[in-house]
Amino acid sequence: LLLPVQFFFFIFRRDTIFNLDGLPVKFGLLGPQRSGNFMHVWDGRDEKGVFVGPGTYLCRLQVEADIGDRSHVSIIQVVY
């Protein structure tokens, strides 16, 4: 998954991949970062390093910034 994102003046970023049951399958805690453009990359593996099954997943990007907190959710389709 490549998810282009642009935020300004953010200080903290967190990415989480969820299955449709609402259970997290992968966490990405990226910590403090400077503003700019970023590309999120997910290789389709869960927290244990095992490929997730085919299906629909949700990616939630959370940003805590000096101009306010933001959250964005994208739909991901996994096929093999």
Side-chain angles (χ1 to χ4, degrees):
L1 164 73
L2 295 176
L3 179 64
V5 179
Q6 181 179 23
F7 286 98
F8 299 98
F9 310 113
F10 72 77
I11 57 173
F12 194 81
R13 183 177 138 191
R14 180 182 310 119
D15 303 326
T16 309
I17 307 290
F18 295 91
N19 63 22
L20 290 183
D21 292 329
L23 300 173
V25 296
K26 183 70 175 180
F27 297 98
L29 186 60
L30 304 176
Q33 297 188 6
R34 299 179 190 268
S35 62
N37 296 309
F38 297 90
M39 191 69 67
H40 177 87
V41 177
W42 179 47
D43 64 0
R45 298 175 194 263
D46 64 15
E47 282 295 305
K48 296 177 183 176
V50 178
F51 284 108
V52 299
T56 303
Y57 294 83
L58 302 174
C59 176
R60 181 178 65 196
L61 170 65
Q62 296 173 291
V63 176
E64 299 171 11
D66 55 356
I67 60 171
D69 297 346
R70 301 280 191 260
S71 182
H72 176 78
V73 176
S74 294
I75 298 172
I76 303 166
Q77 296 291 328
V78 175
V79 295
Y80 297 109

